[in-house]
Amino acid sequence: MGNRFQVSDRFADGAQYIGGKLRHGTSEREHAVVDPATGETVHTYTLASTEDVDAAVAAAREAFPGWSGATPGERSDALHRFAGVLAERAEEFAAAESLQCGKPIKLTREFDVPGTVDNTAFFAGAARHLQGQSAGEYSGDHTSYVRREAIGVVGSIAPWNYPLQMAAWKILPAVAAGNTVVLKPAELTPLTSLMFARAATEAGIPDGVINIVNGAGRTAGEHLVGHPDVAMTSFTGSTGVGKRVAEIATGTVKRLHLELGGKAPFVVFDDADLEAAAHGAVAASLINSGQDCTAATRAYVQRPLFDAFVARVAELMETVRLGDPFDPQTDLGPLVSHAQRDRVAGFVERARAYATVVTGGEAPGGELENGAYYRPTLITGAAQDSEVVQSEIFGPVLVALPFDGDDEGIRLANDTPYGLAASAWSRDVYRANRATREIKAGCVWVNDHIPIISEMPHGGYKASGFGKDMSAYSFEEYTQVKHVMFDNTAVPAKDWHRTIFGDR
């Protein structure tokens, strides 16, 4: 195994970041951070209690007046400094993310970390652009304008698949808009969220603006969502847990933003570039070992191309190099945990009863046997209503199914509860454009699948949730819209008063 990130005493003061300082959790429950490539424990920390959540919310509430009262330029300057600190620490962040998640170092170096730095730079600029509508005399007797104001303390919960990027997606638009944040990362992957918050403090973002509590979902997470001083909840994770978050949030009538599961279709029409589609399918289904809610999971291929597509995807999958995440040559690392690897394997084993595993479908042995590895897997012959087609597997598994006419291909693409992302592959602009209109998903790529950019929104339809991450659209989640109306007449007894009392 290559050189690994050394946790050592970096978090000796604890794994909670509250009011600008690391501190130990008070739950008396310990949790291990495990390197999924080796199965070895690399750090143990004490989980947050509900009292720790209360302390973090109090710190965020105390910081809110000063931060929300800062000028957009002041918040922008602080976020620009923050982006600079992150860029300077890029290699450190990449190594920590690879250690706790098992991501190949080339993925963290070229995707997770630069994406996070870019997000930070984007929101540094976006902080200056929070205008409402310009003033106007819409009633004739009044001047109206719209203010965009911060909401308050935002309690956010992030998943384990992209800990650094999800911390950024949750924190950056919120603080750029003047809110303060308490973020609960997944217990499995606490390291880079803590590093992110510490970097913010070093960049001059005031204490209490960004707080991190690492605790169990059923205690710290639910307490955060239900906290009366938390004005908004933003959650990314499974649809099942998202429903629970929504139930709790309604108790205090919170603003709610949910980015939930996905089961992205990859629709290949018969005029598509077969080689491009095959390469795209392998990359899009295997990114982050398939632990991506936008990953390609259902390849619908028009019948004339189906056999050739299956053969080429299988051929390419067999070239993918599994190995040490810290080896720059490694293509595919382990899943985040052995439990997740076993869950994925369970889907595949059950599918053998009704479908064909073309390639993969097993954990490698040898020097990788102690890690949570699983080979790239391609399945054919599954029915549209089968488990592997309808359920989110969250592993390196692609299911390929044939279709005949365009109507059928689009119908099948829409035939799941989810609607987060999709792609259409065609040389025909009209055909592709129809697919982008009719596929019900928050993002539809054409002749590609996976790239994201800070300037464009990310969020789903249907059971994939609602609300947007990234882009200026995210401010619609993290700001209150206030209408201000000035009387221009200076007339004490206005004509409309006579509809309530008196005569004209």
Side-chain angles (χ1 to χ4, degrees):
M1 293 288 181
N3 293 326
R4 318 184 87 68
F5 179 80
Q6 297 300 312
V7 180
S8 59
D9 61 352
R10 290 172 185 267
F11 305 107
D13 293 327
Q16 319 301 327
Y17 196 75
I18 299 172
K21 296 180 176 60
L22 282 173
R23 53 191 270 183
H24 292 288
T26 61
S27 72
E28 299 183 354
R29 286 184 57 200
E30 290 196 337
H31 195 278
V33 180
V34 175
D35 177 354
T38 64
E40 297 173 358
T41 295
V42 296
H43 185 60
T44 301
Y45 67 96
T46 306
L47 292 168
S49 66
T50 57
E51 289 78 11
D52 297 321
V53 174
D54 290 340
V57 172
R61 187 179 181 187
E62 182 179 355
F64 177 73
W67 184 248
S68 63
T71 67
E74 289 168 338
R75 291 197 295 267
S76 176
D77 288 346
L79 288 168
H80 276 299
R81 294 193 300 271
F82 188 16
V85 173
L86 294 173
E88 291 171 2
R89 308 269 177 80
E91 183 62 20
E92 182 180 2
F93 274 96
E97 196 78 332
S98 288
L99 178 69
Q100 67 180 354
C101 300
K103 297 172 185 275
I105 192 69
K106 67 178 180 178
L107 181 67
T108 58
R109 282 173 175 164
E110 299 178 35
F111 183 73
D112 296 72
V113 175
T116 301
V117 174
D118 185 71
N119 265 222
T120 309
F122 171 80
F123 280 108
R128 291 179 177 265
H129 299 281
L130 276 169
Q131 303 93 335
Q133 292 181 356
S134 59
E137 286 68 47
Y138 298 99
S139 79
D141 292 337
H142 306 81
T143 295
S144 290
Y145 67 87
V146 171
R147 293 174 56 87
R148 304 291 293 269
E149 297 181 350
I151 296 172
V153 177
V154 179
S156 293
I157 299 177
W160 46 256
N161 58 335
Y162 290 101
L164 177 60
Q165 289 205 81
M166 293 298 99
W169 286 17
K170 297 297 180 196
I171 290 169
L172 294 171
V175 300
N179 301 286
T180 55
V181 177
V182 178
L183 174 73
K184 193 200 89 66
E187 303 96 299
L188 290 173
T189 54
L191 304 181
T192 48
S193 298
L194 291 166
M195 292 165 63
F196 188 77
R198 293 182 78 176
T201 299
E202 291 173 31
I205 293 176
D207 293 349
V209 172
I210 298 172
N211 306 275
I212 309 293
V213 289
N214 282 295
R218 291 190 179 275
T219 52
E222 293 197 0
H223 190 64
L224 178 62
V225 173
H227 200 290
D229 291 333
V230 171
M232 174 184 168
T233 290
S234 177
F235 170 80
T236 296
S238 72
T239 298
V241 177
K243 291 177 181 178
R244 174 62 179 157
V245 168
E247 290 173 0
I248 298 170
T250 58
T252 49
V253 197
K254 286 179 169 55
R255 176 80 64 90
L256 187 59
H257 170 211
L258 299 175
E259 198 264 270
L260 306 176
K263 190 70 178 174
F266 186 100
V267 184
V268 182
F269 295 101
D270 59 11
D271 66 332
D273 181 325
L274 177 63
E275 193 68 7
H279 278 82
V282 172
S285 62
L286 300 185
I287 184 170
N288 201 33
S289 296
Q291 300 167 126
D292 186 312
C293 49
T294 65
T297 59
R298 299 178 290 140
Y300 295 105
V301 185
Q302 206 151 15
R303 206 169 296 274
L305 292 185
F306 183 76
D307 290 343
F309 175 88
V310 168
R312 185 61 174 138
V313 167
E315 182 180 34
L316 290 171
M317 280 187 168
E318 289 165 6
T319 69
V320 172
R321 298 164 296 189
L322 281 70
D324 175 11
F326 286 86
D327 182 345
Q329 300 303 309
T330 292
D331 297 320
L332 194 72
L335 283 86
V336 74
S337 68
H338 287 79
Q340 179 64 13
R341 191 271 311 278
D342 294 345
R343 178 180 179 275
V344 170
F347 275 100
V348 176
E349 291 309 306
R350 291 190 296 274
R352 293 183 190 276
Y354 56 81
T356 300
V357 177
V358 178
T359 189
E362 63 181 1
E367 62 182 16
L368 301 181
E369 65 181 353
N370 291 329
Y373 291 87
Y374 199 76
R375 293 194 185 280
T377 301
L378 177 64
I379 295 173
T380 61
Q384 175 66 15
D385 63 355
S386 63
E387 180 187 48
V388 289
V389 176
Q390 293 293 325
S391 299
E392 189 173 32
I393 299 173
F394 230 55
V397 180
L398 177 66
V399 183
L401 304 93
F403 70 91
D404 292 305
D406 291 16
D407 290 351
E408 182 188 18
I410 292 172
R411 178 181 62 78
L412 292 171
N414 285 329
D415 184 27
T416 69
Y418 301 106
L420 186 59
S423 63
W425 297 74
S426 173
R427 290 185 173 96
D428 184 329
V429 65
Y430 298 102
R431 202 177 205 183
N433 199 29
R434 178 195 174 190
T436 65
R437 291 194 310 271
E438 296 186 12
I439 293 176
K440 304 304 181 187
C443 175
V444 182
W445 292 280
V446 176
N447 295 326
D448 208 344
H449 192 118
I450 284 298
I452 54 175
I453 49 176
S454 297
E455 292 82 359
M456 289 291 110
H458 174 88
Y461 286 28
K462 303 190 293 185
S464 291
F466 48 82
K468 300 300 178 186
D469 290 310
M470 300 195 298
S471 83
Y473 288 98
S474 64
F475 287 137
E476 296 177 6
E477 315 302 321
Y478 294 101
T479 56
Q480 296 276 19
V481 175
K482 177 186 287 184
H483 172 216
V484 178
M485 197 173 199
F486 278 89
D487 170 56
N488 293 329
T489 67
V491 174
K494 296 177 173 58
D495 186 58
W496 74 267
H497 293 176
R498 304 303 176 250
T499 65
I500 310 302
F501 71 100
D503 300 317
R504 291 185 184 278

